[in-house]
Amino acid sequence: QVQLVESGGGLVLPGGSLRLSCAASGTAINIYYVSWYRQAPGKQRELVAGLTSGGSTNYADYAKGRFTISRDAAKNTVYLQMNSLRPEDTAVYYCNLDIRIATTGSVNDYWGQGLQVTVSS
């Protein structure tokens, strides 16, 4: 069984930084496309950044130049480094991982539990 555990959210001042982490646990798993989404109150969940297993990235326009998605394959962990944070970045952030279970060959996407990020003075 696959579980995702997120960490690193919290309250930060405008202009500050946070690094979100998303660790996947499970036996015999292969992680493919990974991404971070966010959902602000009253708004739909939106893609923040994505990273393919080949290293290609895509970012929402507001994230370009401020956010960086990365992964540590040895730790089955995905990160989102967020710099120059703004009040409008306040949202719940979710990781989403496409994971293949080696024993069954099935590929499914899994969601983290969500992290509150609040940018406020």
Side-chain angles (χ1 to χ4, degrees):
Q1 183 160 351
V2 176
Q3 287 190 320
L4 303 186
V5 177
E6 297 184 32
S7 60
L11 173 65
V12 63
L13 294 172
S17 298
L18 281 176
R19 189 176 80 155
L20 308 183
S21 300
C22 175
S25 62
T27 57
I29 62 173
N30 302 108
I31 300 173
Y32 296 114
Y33 183 73
V34 300
S35 53
W36 287 92
Y37 286 75
R38 74 183 188 183
Q39 188 167 19
K43 295 188 176 181
Q44 289 189 329
R45 191 172 298 189
E46 60 182 8
L47 177 67
V48 177
L51 172 64
T52 70
S53 56
S56 298
T57 57
N58 60 289
Y59 293 94
D61 285 344
Y62 57 78
K64 292 177 182 177
R66 297 191 299 131
F67 295 2
T68 302
I69 186 171
S70 62
R71 65 194 295 171
D72 184 331
K75 296 181 178 179
N76 286 336
T77 300
V78 181
Y79 304 98
L80 184 67
Q81 177 68 44
M82 304 187 293
N83 299 326
S84 302
L85 283 162
R86 306 164 181 165
E88 53 265 40
D89 294 318
T90 296
V92 177
Y93 285 72
Y94 300 88
C95 60
N96 180 266
L97 277 58
D98 289 344
I99 296 176
R100 176 180 180 272
I101 309 299
T103 54
T104 64
S106 63
V107 179
N108 295 290
D109 69 312
Y110 295 84
W111 290 92
Q113 81 275 15
L115 286 174
Q116 178 67 48
V117 171
T118 302
V119 185
S120 176
S121 56

